[in-house]
Every structure is written in structure tokens, then in C-alpha cells.
Amino acid sequence: MGNWLILGATSGIAIPLNRELAKRGNRLLLAARDQERLDIVKNDLHARFNVEVQTELFDALDHINHPAFIDRVEQEFGHLDGVVWAIGILGKQKQAEEDYKKAYAIIDANYLSAVSILEPIAEKFQKRKTGQIIAISSVAGDRGRATNYIYGSAKAGLSAYMQGLRQRLAKSGVHVMTVKPGVVDTKMIEGEETMPFIAKPDKVALEIMNGIQKRREVIYTPGLWRFIMISLRHIPEFLFKRLSF
Amino acid sequence: MNHLEEISAIKVSGNGNHRSVMKPLYAENKELEGWGRSNRANSDVAHPTDQHQLQGSIHHTYDRTILARGEGRSYGDASLNGGNITLQMEKFDYVIEFDRERGIFTCEGGMTLKAILETVVPAGWFLPVTPGTQYPTIGGCFACDVHGKNHHVAGSLVKHTHWIELVVANGEIIHCSHDEFSDLFYATAGGMGLTGVINKICFELQPIESAYIAAEYFLCKNLSVVMRLLEAYDHKYPYSVAWMDCVASGDNLGRGQVIFGEHAKKEQLPENLQENPLHLNQQRTIAVPFVPPISFVNPFTTMIFNQTKIFMDRMNPRKRIESHINYFYPLDSVRRWNRLYGPPGFIQYQFVVPNEGGGNAITEILQTALNHGHPSSLAVLKRFGEGQPLLSFPRPGWILAMDIPVRAGLFRMTAEFEKILLEYDGRVYLAKDSCLSPEGFRQMYPEFEGWLNIKEKYDPEWRFNSDQANRLKLREGI
Ligand SMILES: Cc1cc2nc3c(=O)[nH]c(=O)nc-3n(C[C@H](O)[C@H](O)[C@H](O)COP(=O)(O)OP(=O)(O)OC[C@H]3O[C@@H](n4cnc5c(N)ncnc54)[C@H](O)[C@@H]3O)c2cc1C
Ligand SMILES: NC(=O)c1ccc[n+]([C@@H]2O[C@H](COP(=O)([O-])OP(=O)(O)OC[C@H]3O[C@@H](n4cnc5c(N)ncnc54)[C@H](OP(=O)(O)O)[C@@H]3O)[C@@H](O)[C@H]2O)c1
């Protein structure tokens, strides 16, 4: 049991994850950019699990104010025991190729913003020698592909960042977990054409919760994706180049 | 995934924030089916996530009709809207408020009964009324004005509902209750989704001391014994129902098992359960993973099943303490059991006949089914109490619900049922219906005209429509 900050608390994956955390008696601080949605999610958690839930508006792109955000949150809510990063945008690869501003927006929401907020949190956890940092990256970061390499490279950046952070914080006993979901049925993939092995967010959330409890380091969810990505990563570049997916 | 179409795009400003976000709503053309799997239709299916998208989907699709759909647990064509738009409500699953002291529950229309029970039972509360499965949504239940095994004492869902919020044809959200917009409130209860989309609902719960039911089982050798037992005792128990063996004929016609029940008090529980009386272990379920090429359900397998059930029941004690899940939702232990009927599917025929003459009507119907060689594979009988106005199904009398596999000649038989029912002043439940005729409907539901006036007051252009409404020619008036 502890105090958890959920960044992107209204995202499709965070919503069932909030429930898993609340069910286990954690206090939640939900951060997202839409107050109306935040209130809906907060009331739901409070009604279902009779736990304390607070909300805070949070804009991932507002880097300058991130350190102050964390200070304020800890003052009002108390020391954090865990944080989940569940923010991201998929964007449109084609548009990102043509328009650097679009590419930048994808890299910003998926990578730069994560670094900007997780760094001051890591600092605090390191000093206190406790805490859990969970970030939702993606299998898309495991190998760049023609159809979504802007998003994929930002996620690759996030995964590498988490890897480094894990090593840095290992001595302080801080748990750092990278979550690599496959395709999950949330609004992120709405309107996208054919997607293989679509997973339900409830299942993904439960697997993340298990990872949190068992203090796992990198999880693929659903687990099948670990094997898909192992095979994908091992296709030699000269062959991979010719594939079209 | 097939063709994806953006059916609306709504600008929502993240309030307190300078940026505003576009929330497009997509629809996918696909086939949906009723629970009986004998009615199917293709439509553009969208999964709205919030009320802005609901309103948007109504605004931006003025050239097509719309129907909300919950979990598709109605048997026939009530939840289908072929060629048009279906709004699948599963993302409206948020609790809005749970007053643990007074037992008042407010949630969104797409929340399932299962999720509601998981929230309220540990706090010592139970649904006021529940159908025989916990998978439907509360919005779908209100739209059908569902009844439970306690109808003879508790009435139907609308009676326990404080208010609903409905998104109507002009995109407005109307808060309606027994005294505000009460015409719309009652027209929506039993209105089969045709008045608008139920966005939110507030209803009262009943207090319980445990998650268990104290049940009593009685085997009865024929219909008249079943009916006499129910008449004599059902007012003494909050829950009563009879399971019927429709394969038995002659002297045993209507042989069955009467089941009474009440929520168990803490002290009625065996000692090992008393410590944590509101706690239940998760129900273990198995699933029928695909539709088998042929039906597993025919008169022969039904006979074997019924005989085994009767035999097994003889060995169990007459009085039992069972979990509310086993008691109310025995069929839920096999997920997608509707697939067992194979590709043609099945129908459920459920009707109510007045107490006066009800026994004769039921005997005639059971006999007709046997004569046609289409006995019901699963049937339940019970008595209803007072009813509600407009299209709400229940009224005082006997109800019988029969699951019948689809085979050649079925619809000739249901046409005969309809004739018998009209003779005895009976009516068919729209949530189960797939074969009622437009004329039959009008005779069975004399308040249709009153309902239609309200429907057309709020939805003059018939933006909300369904395959069932088309089949019953509702738009053509009385
Ligand atoms: C095993 C089993 C046992 C059952 N036992 C009973 C019983 O004992 N008593 C009883 O009364 N019923 C019973 N039913 C029927 C079932 O309770 C109802 O059909 C219920 O309405 C199904 O809910 P749903 O969410 O699946 O709705 P759907 O089947 O998806 O839709 C049913 C109707 O409700 C409308 N609707 C759905 N959601 C909304 C919404 N948000 N706003 C407006 N309209 C909406 C649809 O348009 C449609 O007309 C049983 C069904 C099964 C499968
Ligand atoms: N769905 C998948 O298939 C999939 C696969 C692999 C990884 N992931 C990752 O899983 C995480 C959660 O995504 P999801 O699938 O749950 O989709 P989602 O519902 O679209 O969640 C993304 C969330 O990010 C938020 N967000 C975007 N930009 C923001 C900003 N500038 N400030 C604050 N919040 C912002 C969105 O807020 P709004 O709700 O206000 O728009 C949204 O809640 C993301 O990191 C995503 O990359 C998803």
C-alpha cells in the first residue's frame, strides 16, 4: 500500500490499472489534461473501492513546470511510493515524414516529456532510497519499422532511458520497470487499419500490476509479444529491409 | 477490421487547459447477433467513450438511424439495427456515486450487472431486481424494464430507479424520473432503446447480510402441482421460480422443480462462512470456444439432461445455502453457452398470461410444442405481480419462458402460440422476441399508442430505430 501518481490517468491502459492499484488499497493521485474525464475516473475509483483519490491537471509538454509540479504534488499528497507513466501519442507516420513539427510532437509526447517528469521523481526516490517507477513504452521501440519509426524511435528512447535509470537506481533499491505492450484495444489504435493480436486493456493492466508486485524489470504484455519481438529482432537487416509490415 | 469510417469528430476542450483535443468517433461495419444467434445484422458499430461522443454521433449522422446496444443479451432482434448505426455502450462503465449508507447507486448506462455486484455486494447491498444472467448492462436492463425472480413482490427495475439521463434525438441530455419528464422516463422503461441512449442511471439497492441465498427445492410431478405450490407459497418468499421439463408428456406434462429463496441471514450460514459472509470466491467458468457445426441441443439430449438433473437433485437436500451466483446465474458458469445450439441458433419464447385461465393457456402451449416436435430445451415458470405502464412487459399472471432450437417449422408453431396467447389475453416479452407479428404486438400492447405519442414527441424523425421496430412496423403507427 502506498501513494501512487498516475501520469496519463485517463488513458485506456491506465483506467483498469488505476482499478488494480485502488483495489489493493493504494491512495491514488490521478494526473491528466482533461478535468472532466479526471473527475469521472476519480468518482468511479472512489465509489468502487472506497479509497482516497485526488486529481491534478498535468500537461506532459509543459516541461519547464514539471519539477514544480512534483514538489507541489508531494506537498499536497504526501511522499510518493510509486509513479506510472501512461502517456503517449501514436501520431501519423506519413504526416511526420512530411512535417517535422508533427515528428517533433510525437517524440516530445512519447520521450522528451517522460524524461522531463521522471528525472525529478527519480532524484527524490534515489535520495529516499525507495520507490517504484513504471513507464509504458512499447514493442514498437524494439525494432524500427517503416510504418511507424518516428513513434518507434521515441519509444526506443524511452526504453533505453528506463534501462539506464534502472542501473543508476539499482543501488538505491528503487524499482524501475519498463512495460512493453503489444497492441491494446484503446483509443490510441482507433481508426487504425488491421492490427494483429489485439489485447484487452484489463488483461494488460493486470499483467502490469503483477509486474509491480513482483518487481519485474521489463515486461511484455501480453507475454506472447516477448517471442514475437525476439524473432523480429533477430531477422538480419538485409532481409528485414525487404519485408513489408 | 473492415471498412472504418469516421462518423463524427467533436472538439473537446481540455478544461483548465489551453489546448483542445479532437475526439473522432469511428465505426466499423460488422455483423452482430442477438443472444439466440438466429437474428443477425450488419451495421456500422461505434464504441463511444463519453457523452460528447454520444451527442456527436447523433448530430453527425442525420441521414441514418441509431440504436444503443449493451452486451447483446436480448435474444432476438431488439439490439440490432441493420444497415445503420449501432452504439456499443461498453465504455460507459463508470460508477458515478455509491452511497454506502443509504444503498443508492449511480452509474453509467454501459456498466454490467456483474461489475455492479462486485462493487455493492462486499458493502452489504444487492441489486433490487436481477435477470437470470449477470452479463447484461444496466442500461439494457432498464430499456427492457427487466424483472427477476422477485417480481411478485418487488416489481420491475423501473420501480427501483430514481432517475435516468437520456441522450435524445436532438442531442440534448434529459434528466428524467418519476416526476420530471415522467412521460419519457416510463416510455424508456421497456422502450427497447427507441427513445434515446441511457447515459446514466440512479437506482436503489436492497440490503443483504450475506452473499448467499437460503433456497428450498421441491420436485413436482406435473404442471398443476407446480402451479398450486407457487400459488400457495410464493408470497412467503422474496424469490420464486419453477424450472420445467418440457419433454415430459401425458400425466407428467409440465413436470418441474419449484425453487424458493431468500437472502441468507448471517446466522443461517454454516460456521466457516460466517466470518466473511459477504465474500465470494470468483465463479469458475468454462467457455464454448466456437460454434459447433451441429446443435448439441435436441429433444433427445434435452431428455437426458432433464432426467440427469432430476436424478441429481433427488440426492441434494431440499434446503440449501448457495452463493447468489449459483442461485441467480447458473447459466453464466458456461460462457457463450448460446453456441451449443449450433449454426441455426435458438429462440426464447417468453409470455405472460393472466392468472385467470393461465393454466389452460400454458397447458395448450406446452402441448402444441410437443405436437410440433419442438419441445423447449429449457423453460421457467413464475408468477408476476403488479405491472408498469406503456411497453413494460410484466403484468399480473403466469409467465413462461422457453428456449427452443431453430428448426424447420418453428415459425409455424410460434404463429400458433401467438393465436393461443391472443385468445387468453397474453403477451410476449420484447427482450426475447424474434417472431411476433405486427398485429399481434398491437393487440398485446394496447398502450402502444400512448407510447408512440411520447416517442414521436422526443424523436419525430425516428432517429432511433431497430430491426425489431421494423419487423413490428412500429413507425406505421397503430
Ligand atoms: C440467460 C439469460 C437470462 C435472462 N433472464 C432474464 C430475466 O430473468 N428477466 C428479464 O427481464 N430478462 C432476462 N434476460 C434478458 C436480459 O436481461 C435483457 O435482454 C437485457 O436487456 C439485456 O441487456 P444487454 O445490456 O445485453 O442489452 P442488449 O441486448 O444489448 O439490448 C437490449 C435492448 O436495450 C437497448 N439498450 C441497450 N443499452 C441501452 C442504453 N444504454 N440506452 C438505451 N437503450 C439501450 C437496446 O437498444 C435493445 O433494445 C435474460 C437474458 C439471458 C441471456
Ligand atoms: N494502445 C496500444 O496499442 C499501445 C501499444 C503499446 C504502447 N502503448 C502505450 O501505452 C500508453 C497508454 O496508451 P493507451 O493505449 O492507453 O492510449 P490512450 O488512451 O490514447 O492514452 C494516451 C494518453 O496520453 C495522454 N496524453 C497525450 N498527450 C498528452 C499531453 N501532452 N499531456 C497529458 N497527457 C497526454 C492522453 O490524454 P487524453 O486522454 O487527454 O487525450 C491519453 O490519456 C502510451 O504510452 C502508449 O504509447 C499503447
Side-chain angles (χ1 to χ4, degrees):
Chain A
M1 269 187 275
N3 294 338
W4 280 79
L5 168 66
I6 316 296
L7 299 162
T10 58
S11 72
I13 295 180
I15 281 164
L17 181 57
N18 297 335
R19 289 179 184 162
E20 294 298 335
L21 283 162
K23 198 187 280 175
R24 289 163 178 79
N26 293 294
R27 283 174 80 220
L28 298 188
L29 177 63
L30 311 178
R33 58 181 168 178
D34 180 344
Q35 189 63 49
E36 186 182 321
R37 222 50 221 146
L38 272 173
D39 288 338
I40 291 174
V41 175
K42 167 184 158 171
N43 291 339
D44 174 74
L45 290 168
H46 177 69
R48 280 183 199 241
F49 306 108
N50 213 8
V51 291
E52 188 189 334
V53 185
Q54 294 183 24
T55 65
E56 195 76 46
L57 279 172
F58 175 72
D59 183 352
L61 307 182
D62 189 13
H63 302 174
I64 298 180
N65 289 313
H66 285 173
F69 172 86
I70 289 301
D71 288 339
R72 191 174 72 243
V73 156
E74 287 217 319
Q75 248 171 31
E76 287 167 11
F77 186 68
H79 276 186
L80 296 174
D81 298 292
V83 56
V84 177
W85 167 264
I87 288 177
I89 59 173
L90 187 56
K92 297 253 182 281
Q93 169 69 25
K94 260 259 97 41
Q95 293 175 5
E97 286 166 22
E98 286 153 11
D99 179 356
Y100 171 71
K101 282 208 286 298
K102 296 244 158 81
Y104 180 83
I106 295 174
I107 298 165
D108 194 356
N110 289 300
Y111 177 48
L112 299 176
S113 301
V115 175
S116 150
I117 186 81
L118 294 182
E119 212 42 34
I121 295 173
E123 194 62 36
K124 288 186 192 287
F125 284 6
Q126 185 171 32
K127 279 205 197 106
R128 296 206 286 263
K129 295 197 180 317
T130 172
Q132 293 185 279
I133 300 177
I134 318 298
I136 306 186
S137 182
S138 170
V139 294
D142 278 16
R143 185 151 198 178
R145 291 188 299 121
T147 49
N148 73 346
Y149 62 85
I150 302 292
Y151 173 79
S153 63
K155 287 295 194 186
L158 178 60
S159 297
Y161 168 79
M162 290 295 283
Q163 211 168 29
L165 193 63
R166 184 174 307 117
Q167 197 185 20
R168 168 183 156 201
L169 297 181
K171 290 181 283 298
S172 332
V174 177
H175 170 222
V176 176
M177 177 166 89
T178 318
V179 180
K180 297 185 178 176
V183 186
V184 191
D185 186 10
T186 67
K187 73 175 188 305
M188 180 168 280
I189 62 156
E190 236 172 55
E192 296 293 317
E193 294 295 332
T194 323
M195 293 275 192
F197 316 117
I198 299 185
K200 287 279 163 218
D202 288 11
K203 178 181 159 82
V204 168
L206 189 63
E207 293 188 357
I208 298 176
M209 191 67 233
N210 285 337
I212 292 174
Q213 287 177 318
K214 296 193 184 128
R215 298 176 79 91
R216 302 268 301 275
E217 310 197 309
V218 179
I219 63 167
Y220 287 81
T221 166
L224 163 78
W225 282 91
R226 179 180 291 275
F227 303 101
I228 299 179
M229 294 323 291
I230 288 177
S231 357
L232 263 189
R233 272 201 312 268
H234 285 86
I235 301 174
E237 202 65 23
F238 75 89
L239 250 178
F240 197 80
K241 262 185 350 198
R242 287 155 209 263
L243 298 176
S244 60
F245 54 77
Chain B
M1 230 180 253
N2 300 314
H3 159 78
L4 280 173
E5 190 198 356
E6 195 173 311
I7 58 174
S8 81
I10 309 110
K11 211 169 197 149
V12 179
S13 57
N15 51 20
N17 182 321
H18 8 273
R19 262 175 276 272
S20 60
V21 191
M22 292 298 282
K23 291 196 171 167
L25 181 63
Y26 296 94
E28 182 191 347
N29 190 277
K30 66 174 179 193
E31 188 181 74
L32 296 174
E33 53 189 29
W35 186 247
R37 305 192 50 261
S38 50
N39 293 88
R40 291 172 203 166
N42 265 78
S43 63
D44 287 336
V45 183
H47 303 250
T49 51
D50 57 29
Q51 71 185 41
H52 304 293
Q53 285 195 334
L54 267 189
Q55 291 173 302
S57 64
I58 296 170
H59 271 307
H60 295 259
T61 55
Y62 48 86
D63 52 342
R64 287 193 291 168
T65 68
I66 300 165
L67 185 70
R69 174 172 156 118
E71 290 290 325
R73 253 57 183 192
S74 52
Y75 282 72
D77 48 6
S79 68
L80 304 178
N81 193 21
N84 286 281
I85 292 169
T86 310
L87 299 178
Q88 196 92 54
M89 294 297 289
E90 86 262 21
K91 297 206 169 131
F92 284 77
D93 73 335
Y94 292 92
V95 188
I96 295 160
E97 201 185 342
F98 175 22
D99 182 335
R100 288 165 190 258
E101 267 69 63
R102 295 190 301 152
I104 298 171
F105 197 79
T106 313
C107 67
E108 294 185 331
M111 190 163 180
T112 64
L113 303 185
K114 183 168 188 286
I116 295 173
L117 288 169
E118 281 166 3
T119 307
V120 303
V121 169
W125 297 97
F126 200 76
L127 291 167
V129 165
T130 176
T133 164
Q134 53 173 339
Y135 291 116
T137 65
I138 188 75
C141 285
F142 189 86
C144 297
D145 192 24
V146 297
H147 57 268
K149 293 184 170 80
N150 58 353
H151 188 273
H152 59 294
V153 290
S156 52
L157 182 59
V158 66
K159 200 172 152 197
H160 307 271
T161 305
H162 288 189
W163 52 264
I164 58 168
E165 220 179 79
L166 196 69
V167 186
V168 294
N170 65 6
E172 260 176 50
I173 296 180
I174 300 186
H175 181 96
C176 41
S177 66
H178 299 272
D179 31 52
E180 301 153 87
F181 292 93
S182 64
D183 59 345
L184 189 56
F185 184 70
Y186 286 103
T188 303
M192 309 308 294
L194 298 172
T195 53
V197 182
I198 299 163
N199 181 20
K200 294 177 184 163
I201 178 164
C202 170
F203 56 95
E204 59 199 22
L205 302 161
Q206 52 168 324
I208 51 171
E209 279 186 27
S210 82
Y212 295 84
I213 300 290
E216 284 193 62
Y217 287 71
F218 300 90
L219 270 180
C220 305
K221 75 174 204 299
N222 60 32
L223 182 65
S224 79
V225 180
V226 170
M227 291 177 78
R228 265 184 287 142
L229 191 61
L230 282 170
E231 273 166 349
Y233 291 105
D234 68 1
H235 59 281
K236 299 210 157 111
Y237 297 86
Y239 298 108
S240 71
V241 70
W243 164 81
M244 305 263 278
D245 173 3
C246 297
V247 185
S249 58
D251 283 348
N252 283 333
L253 184 78
R255 164 171 74 176
Q257 184 182 44
V258 172
I259 308 166
F260 295 119
E262 60 191 340
H263 290 282
K265 299 252 179 307
K266 194 174 160 198
E267 66 266 13
Q268 284 175 284
L269 299 181
E271 221 142 85
N272 60 332
L273 298 177
Q274 288 205 7
E275 197 171 311
N276 218 341
L278 292 165
H279 175 79
L280 270 195
N281 290 326
Q282 276 288 327
Q283 184 189 24
R284 255 173 233 248
T285 60
I286 53 168
V288 181
F290 56 87
V291 182
I294 51 156
S295 172
F296 282 120
V297 188
N298 57 46
F300 180 68
T301 54
T302 304
M303 186 190 74
I304 305 244
F305 176 83
N306 289 351
Q307 291 293 356
T308 317
K309 183 169 158 67
I310 288 168
F311 178 74
M312 301 286 282
D313 258 23
R314 286 230 161 86
M315 323 223 290
N316 285 325
R318 192 169 61 81
K319 288 192 176 199
R320 304 176 202 167
I321 296 286
E322 35 185 1
S323 80
H324 70 262
I325 307 230
N326 283 346
Y327 181 80
F328 289 112
Y329 315 118
L331 290 170
D332 286 354
S333 60
V334 183
R335 277 174 287 129
R336 302 305 310 263
W337 57 264
N338 58 344
R339 291 175 169 163
L340 289 175
Y341 286 81
F346 67 109
I347 65 163
Q348 185 171 98
Y349 204 86
Q350 180 173 0
F351 61 85
V352 57
V353 281
N355 285 312
E356 195 74 26
N360 294 342
I362 290 169
T363 309
E364 272 185 48
I365 290 204
L366 290 179
Q367 195 57 54
T368 308
L370 282 172
N371 295 349
H372 278 258
H374 277 300
S376 159
S377 44
L378 190 76
V380 294
L381 179 77
K382 93 164 251 95
R383 272 201 326 161
F384 270 167
E386 286 309 309
Q388 296 287 336
L390 301 173
L391 298 189
S392 172
F393 165 64
R395 28 176 206 179
W398 292 95
I399 63 146
L400 182 67
M402 307 184 282
D403 287 9
I404 312 173
V406 171
R407 283 190 290 128
L410 174 66
F411 296 103
R412 254 190 321 228
M413 177 174 85
T414 56
E416 275 182 46
F417 287 175
E418 197 173 313
K419 254 197 246 136
I420 299 172
L421 289 178
L422 290 176
E423 225 170 275
Y424 285 94
D425 196 20
R427 67 158 56 152
V428 164
Y429 188 12
L430 295 181
K432 312 289 178 76
D433 160 53
S434 52
C435 42
L436 192 56
S437 74
E439 304 73 40
F441 167 76
R442 281 158 180 76
Q443 285 188 50
M444 291 178 179
Y445 287 87
E447 290 183 65
F448 170 54
E449 186 179 2
W451 178 86
L452 190 65
N453 289 337
I454 303 168
K455 152 86 177 164
E456 296 193 335
K457 173 172 157 197
Y458 293 95
D459 183 13
E461 289 162 29
W462 277 79
R463 294 299 317 284
F464 295 103
N465 197 21
S466 68
D467 283 6
Q468 184 174 53
N470 288 339
R471 176 169 51 80
L472 298 174
K473 305 201 168 116
L474 298 190
R475 213 178 161 169
E476 290 174 19
I478 48 167

